[in-house]
Amino acid sequence: MAVTDFFVGEIATELLKMMVQISTKSCLCKTTAAQIANSIQQILPIIEEIKYSGVELPAHRQFQLDRFSETLRRGIEISEKALQCGRLNIYRNLRLARKMEKLEKDICRFINGTMQAHILADVHHMRFETTERFDRLEGVWLERRLESMKIRADGSGEGRWWVEEAFKRAEEEERYETNLVNIGTGLRVGKKKLKELVIGRSDLTAVGISGIGGSGKTTLAREFCKDPEVRRYFKEKILFLTVSQSPDVEQLRRTIWEHVMGSDSVNSNDLILHGRPANSALLVLDDVWSISVLENLIPNVTGCKTLVVSRFKFPEVLRATYEVELLKESEAIALFCHSAFGQQSIPLAANHNLVKQVVNECKCLPLALKVIGASLRGQSEMFWNNAKTRLSRGEPICESHENKLLRRMAISIERLSSKVRECFLDLGCFPEDKKIPLDILINVWKELHDLDDEEALAVLFELSQKNLLTLVKDARGGDIYSSYYEMYITQHDVLRDLALHFSSQENVNDRKRLLMPKSDTELPKEWLRKSDQPFNAQLVSIHTGEMKEMDWTQMIFPEAEVLILNFASSGYFLPPFLCNMPKLRTLIVLNSNATHATLSNFSVFSSLVNLRSIWLEKISMTQLFNACAPLKHLRKISLVFCKINNSLDESAVNVSQIFPFLFELKIDHCNDLDKLPSSICDMQSLKCLSVTNCHSLSQLPTNSWKLKNLQILRLFACPLLTTLPSSICELSCLKYIDISQCVYLTSLPEEIGKLANLEKIDMRECSLIRRLPRSVVCLQSLCHIICEEDASWLWEDLKSHMPNLYIQVTEKCFDLDWLD
């Protein structure tokens, strides 16, 4: 209890007595004194309650009570003068009456203003603390237990024990689930990794635990704190604090200081800056949302380690972060069965295949397993089957599922800026469990949200740091000249379901994104019913099998800017409604079939006058562009795992006429390409030409000198390529050449020194290049060479002529990710 509380109470009591006396006198202050007495009688019980509660108030409240105490003291002085003043001294009584009226206003202002704010703050704190504890009861469990307890609202003795009993059972439930998870290796591995970081490394004062919502981060942190080795190391001095989205930072700072230093006598303004505890201590900050809050809470104290649990990674503050691994299949089934059946295995009477299918839709996410399992407890097999279908579409199976899982996961999304949030929701357009090439994603974001490359990458890194996607790159990716295709992203299916859920809230014709959550044999019935009205979606994603002309319905998309066609078949009729997409700027065609698909209905390309980029994957290119009118706005074409079938030859098509202003052409994993057509060199607007992983390519065109604007030339992993044409040396704008893994390439062009703007050469795994042309010393802009150790000496000998040259020596990299 604060000293201020005591004096406020005593002063208020004394003032109340005086006001009662004044109100009995016949003087000008009588009415005002009675009103003040009434006001003090209302607040005196509250002051007494604070006085004897034993609760330490925050500094700002103490200051406000000090001010109120001074007001009451002034009231006592006025009251004493009023009691002593004679009735005939009218002038003095008038002055005292005015002072009394001002006193009344000050007291009322405190009661009706400041005190109400105190009450609201107390309610907020109580609500947060209650919610924090009740979160452990896992909503559905609590409802079930409370119902069985038959809680009474009349406050009778029969119902008073329920809260204590509920928390006891919740703790038993938590212990059971922890033991359940301990069956597998996930938690043991997590604790081992954390011990290596927290205990094993003296250079780390703060370590993070990161993962998506519901992945078991807090469970891992709690089990780490319970570990006997950890408790011995920190001599039981472990503090676990939940920070939350709206924390009282000052109170948390004070609590941390008291725990770390064993004293509460230090000013909280200095507690994070310096100090030395008597022993080592562990501080666990759970549910951290803001880096600014985190920076204010991590103590810079020798011997104190901080473990930060968050959905975000905070690389600016945390040098090491452990990313939580999801459950294994056996662990997932055990946890789900505990929630759905009250046992660790599938009951004999249950439909084993159906249960496993539902578990599979939970994607090994602990929170999803518990919430969905509880939602299905006691339900019929028909309800289970319906739930499986809805989960596969990314839809909530019931109100409980939506409230407990999707809305809890949605907290991560709601805190994003509007631009980043929109980019996250776009991720729902891609098939589940597939790697998404970064090249595709960046193109989609650039067209839909008017971002440039730098802004799109900033969004990508923010989503990655917040664990809303996983960014993966190979050893080659990441520098300024890297192709986005060398990087890709993956996303947990629950996060994809969340994006689908948010994208489907509006009427189907008004949605910004019109998405098919999974592959189907036909278009959704909801779309077909509304096809007589325009669809206002900017992003349209269709996921089907083989589609013939009769399978399509005529639809109108006046606002569509991006169309993604996912299918798995050897034949595919392009949708006729492409003619009704006047604003379409990006077309992505992805075939996941084992064989290449032949497209038909090429005539629709003639209407796509605003098309800026095309991505074709596993498509047979026979006569694909024959029917095309010139696409004057097209800037980028990507042909991945396609059959070229001589479709780019001059005899088949005049590519420079069809694509007069193309900036970038990418041909990747097109194994039937044995000769790069010379017609490509007629596209003089090209700035980037990538012909990579084409294992049959053996010859480049001799007229490459026509590509006057070419800046980037990638010939990565074309093993049959033996020479580079000398005409390459005429490309005055060329800045980057990638000939890595061209294992049969024997030399560089003799006149390569003419490339005055060449900045970087990647020639790793070109072991047959044993000499360099003399002209390389003329490459005055060359500043970066990537090669293996065997070839590095060739360049080391030239450093006297090229002092700014950086030679990066790499190891051999064997990557089979392309098999996916």
Side-chain angles (χ1 to χ4, degrees), residues 55 88 127 154 158 209 219 238 240 243 257 262 320 337 342 374 409 447-448 537 543 568 593 631 675 742 781 790:
V55 177
L88 299 178
R127 182 180 178 186
D154 58 4
E158 295 178 4
I209 298 178
T219 300
I238 300 173
F240 195 107
V243 178
W257 182 259
C337 289
M409 300 288 289
E447 298 300 344
L448 286 179
H543 196 181
N593 197 43
L631 298 174
K675 177 182 177 182
C742 292
S781 297
D790 292 345

Side-chain angles (χ1 to χ4, degrees), residues 65-93:
L65 283 176
D66 286 340
R67 295 282 299 273
F68 186 57
S69 176
E70 293 173 5
T71 301
L72 295 182
R73 281 197 186 93
R74 185 159 40 86
I76 290 178
E77 293 174 1
I78 297 171
S79 301
E80 289 175 346
K81 293 177 181 178
L83 288 172
Q84 295 172 4
C85 183
R87 294 181 181 180
L88 299 178
N89 194 342
I90 297 175
Y91 174 72
R92 192 174 184 192
N93 275 326

Side-chain angles (χ1 to χ4, degrees), residues 388-451:
K388 180 204 72 174
T389 303
R390 292 180 65 83
L391 286 170
S392 68
R393 295 174 181 166
E395 302 172 359
I397 61 174
C398 61
E399 185 179 356
S400 175
H401 174 211
E402 182 175 5
N403 291 341
K404 303 298 186 300
L405 178 61
L406 293 180
R407 291 187 183 176
R408 182 167 170 181
M409 300 288 289
I411 297 173
S412 299
I413 314 306
E414 291 165 356
R415 291 180 62 88
L416 299 173
S417 66
S418 59
K419 182 184 293 184
V420 177
R421 183 177 185 273
E422 291 297 312
C423 289
F424 169 80
L425 295 181
D426 294 336
L427 293 171
C429 70
F430 297 102
E432 62 180 345
D433 300 321
K434 295 292 184 183
K435 295 176 180 177
I436 306 170
L438 188 57
D439 206 350
I440 294 180
L441 185 61
I442 293 293
N443 272 345
V444 170
W445 284 351
K446 287 168 66 174
E447 298 300 344
L448 286 179
H449 309 296
D450 298 322
L451 305 177

Side-chain angles (χ1 to χ4, degrees), residues 257-321:
W257 182 259
E258 292 174 5
H259 170 74
V260 173
M261 302 303 294
S263 169
D264 60 355
S265 60
V266 181
N267 187 337
S268 66
N269 292 328
D270 299 326
L271 63 86
I272 306 298
L273 301 180
H274 55 77
R276 177 180 291 275
N279 299 301
S280 58
L282 175 64
L283 169 64
V284 182
L285 300 175
D286 185 32
D287 198 23
V288 180
W289 289 81
S290 166
I291 188 170
S292 59
V293 170
L294 181 59
E295 289 174 336
N296 276 303
L297 294 182
I298 293 182
N300 185 15
V301 175
T302 304
C304 180
K305 295 291 186 84
T306 304
L307 187 61
V308 180
V309 185
S310 176
R311 300 184 184 194
F312 314 137
K313 296 178 183 176
F314 302 122
E316 306 91 336
V317 178
L318 305 176
R319 290 170 50 201
T321 298

Side-chain angles (χ1 to χ4, degrees), residues 369-551:
L369 291 162
K370 289 190 285 185
V371 171
I372 294 172
S375 300
L376 295 174
R377 187 164 189 154
Q379 299 294 340
S380 65
E381 186 170 328
M382 184 180 295
F383 187 92
W384 277 67
N385 196 59
N386 178 262
K388 180 204 72 174
T389 303
R390 292 180 65 83
L391 286 170
S392 68
R393 295 174 181 166
E395 302 172 359
I397 61 174
C398 61
E399 185 179 356
S400 175
H401 174 211
E402 182 175 5
N403 291 341
K404 303 298 186 300
L405 178 61
L406 293 180
R407 291 187 183 176
R408 182 167 170 181
M409 300 288 289
I411 297 173
S412 299
I413 314 306
E414 291 165 356
R415 291 180 62 88
L416 299 173
S417 66
S418 59
K419 182 184 293 184
V420 177
R421 183 177 185 273
E422 291 297 312
C423 289
F424 169 80
L425 295 181
D426 294 336
L427 293 171
C429 70
F430 297 102
E432 62 180 345
D433 300 321
K434 295 292 184 183
K435 295 176 180 177
I436 306 170
L438 188 57
D439 206 350
I440 294 180
L441 185 61
I442 293 293
N443 272 345
V444 170
W445 284 351
K446 287 168 66 174
E447 298 300 344
L448 286 179
H449 309 296
D450 298 322
L451 305 177
D452 57 27
D453 283 356
E454 291 74 19
E455 291 173 321
L457 286 174
V459 169
L460 179 81
F461 294 141
E462 181 174 346
L463 290 174
S464 176
Q465 288 183 6
K466 288 177 167 52
N467 284 304
L468 295 173
L469 56 79
T470 301
L471 176 62
V472 184
K473 67 181 182 70
D474 65 16
R476 308 166 49 79
D479 64 64
I480 189 172
Y481 292 117
S482 291
S483 168
Y484 289 141
Y485 187 67
E486 293 163 359
M487 296 177 273
Y488 58 87
I489 69 160
T490 59
Q491 186 181 41
H492 194 282
D493 287 345
V494 172
L495 290 171
R496 178 178 178 270
D497 290 346
L498 186 63
L500 290 169
H501 176 68
F502 273 97
S503 297
S504 60
Q505 298 297 301
E506 301 163 308
N507 180 283
V508 65
N509 293 89
D510 298 326
R511 294 173 189 169
K512 294 176 67 175
R513 301 166 187 83
L514 197 62
L515 312 175
M516 287 182 64
K518 68 168 192 170
S519 179
D520 208 338
T521 56
E522 59 181 4
L523 296 178
K525 290 182 173 59
E526 185 182 24
W527 296 15
L528 300 176
R529 282 195 298 268
K530 299 294 182 69
S531 60
D532 58 327
Q533 304 172 32
F535 293 89
N536 294 317
Q538 293 178 282
L539 170 61
V540 181
S541 177
I542 298 174
H543 196 181
T544 63
E546 182 177 0
M547 294 294 282
K548 300 177 181 178
E549 183 176 5
M550 65 184 70
D551 297 323

